[in-house]
Amino acid sequence: MMMWSNFFMQEEDRRRAAVGRRRAQGQQNLGLTPELEGKIKLVLLLATMGATLAVLSVGTEFWVEFNTYKTNGSAVCEAAHMGLWKVCIKRLWQADVPASRETCGPAELPGEANCTYFKFFTTGENAHIFQRTTKKEVNLAAAVIAVLSLTATALGCLSVIMVLSKGAEVLLRLGAVCFGLSGLLLLVSLEVFRHSVRALLQGASPDTTPAPRLTYEYSWSLGCGVGAGLILLLGGVCFLLLSLPSWHWRSLCPKRGDPTT
């Protein structure tokens, strides 16, 4: 009786040991190699830089500056700068404006500022800037596309963090798609915003007083957006390459001296 008891105990121990080995082997297969993990962290750092620039671009209002021409006999002149969410009209002292400029500005100079948020997000009203009227449909489209870009960026960051913390390598391709899509959407938003600027310049109403002559120049917020879009696209491509199986790399980049080459 004791012999049979020892036999069953030994079989139970062997079965538990086999289950433990299989479980450990499965966890090892699901884990990331140190080399792949280091590459993912490096690309994530690059994508984080792009995401930071994207948030800075979307959240600030220095996408474009509008400058009126200087007038003789006046001590002040007007300039404006706008982004996706609000516009600021500033009265600047002409003494502070560089003498080489024919127009008022730049908008970063100190002066009396009047900043208002666009009402087409709430009441649907167009904004009026220097006797010109915005085209709210185009401005709304640019803002919505920019928000979708930030949403895709957040989903991409979450997917890559899950890959690093849980070893779910299958989510790496999802993160690549999210980052690539976010960069593409941000660039599309910038292009739509450019169309809104052109629509504003052509939106002078003939019923009101003649609109002053304006010049415009794109500012640093839009530059941050362009850089963010390109960096996010690059991050998406890098994550997509890292998600490829190892045999793809061996077939694309065979070692020197390989008889198959």
Side-chain angles (χ1 to χ4, degrees):
M1 198 65 182
M2 184 66 68
M3 179 180 65
W4 286 106
S5 177
N6 292 335
F7 174 77
F8 285 121
M9 291 178 63
Q10 292 174 1
E11 286 294 327
E12 182 67 18
D13 291 339
R14 281 196 293 269
R15 187 182 66 81
R16 290 178 179 176
V19 171
R21 285 194 298 270
R22 287 195 298 269
R23 184 176 301 172
Q25 184 178 4
Q27 291 177 352
Q28 184 177 4
N29 292 336
L30 288 176
L32 301 174
T33 62
E35 181 182 4
L36 180 59
E37 184 177 354
K39 292 178 180 178
I40 292 175
K41 289 181 178 179
L42 184 62
V43 180
L44 180 60
L45 178 62
L46 176 68
T48 303
M49 293 174 54
T52 304
L53 287 176
V55 173
L56 180 63
S57 173
V58 174
T60 52
E61 62 276 359
F62 284 89
W63 283 49
V64 65
E65 295 182 7
F66 299 105
N67 303 311
T68 60
Y69 282 85
K70 296 179 181 177
T71 56
N72 295 327
S74 176
V76 296
C77 59
E78 289 185 326
H81 58 91
M82 62 177 284
L84 294 175
W85 316 106
K86 67 179 180 179
V87 59
C88 295
I89 299 177
K90 299 186 70 173
R91 295 171 58 87
L92 307 177
W93 293 100
Q94 289 198 26
D96 296 334
V97 179
S100 59
R101 290 180 61 106
E102 296 182 357
T103 59
C104 191
E108 289 84 359
L109 291 175
E112 181 184 350
N114 181 18
C115 298
T116 56
Y117 284 92
F118 292 125
K119 294 183 179 180
F120 41 71
F121 294 110
T122 54
T123 61
E125 300 178 18
N126 277 307
H128 302 281
I129 304 171
F130 295 133
Q131 287 81 45
R132 290 172 172 84
T133 305
T134 59
K135 195 172 183 179
K136 61 182 180 181
E137 295 82 5
V138 185
N139 292 82
L140 275 172
V144 169
I145 295 173
V147 171
L148 291 177
S149 173
L150 294 183
T151 304
T153 303
L155 291 176
C157 290
L158 182 61
S159 299
V160 177
I161 290 174
M162 290 291 291
V163 171
L164 293 174
S165 60
K166 303 296 183 181
E169 195 172 347
V170 68
L171 293 178
L172 190 60
R173 191 165 298 180
L174 176 61
V177 172
C178 289
F179 279 117
L181 181 62
S182 65
L184 182 61
L185 287 174
L186 187 56
L187 294 178
V188 171
S189 175
L190 297 175
E191 182 60 27
V192 174
F193 182 82
R194 287 181 64 248
H195 285 280
S196 71
V197 171
R198 295 176 183 176
L200 173 65
L201 294 175
Q202 298 173 359
S205 177
D207 299 332
T208 59
T209 58
R213 290 191 303 154
L214 290 180
T215 62
Y216 72 97
E217 54 183 336
Y218 297 107
S219 193
W220 59 267
S221 293
L222 189 133
C224 290
V226 173
L230 296 177
I231 291 175
L232 290 172
L233 278 175
L234 178 61
V237 171
C238 292
F239 280 129
L240 184 61
L241 293 177
L242 290 177
S243 66
L244 294 177
S246 58
W247 63 270
H248 276 290
W249 288 106
R250 287 196 296 269
S251 61
L252 293 174
C253 305
K255 295 182 180 180
R256 184 174 298 178
D258 194 340
T260 60
T261 58

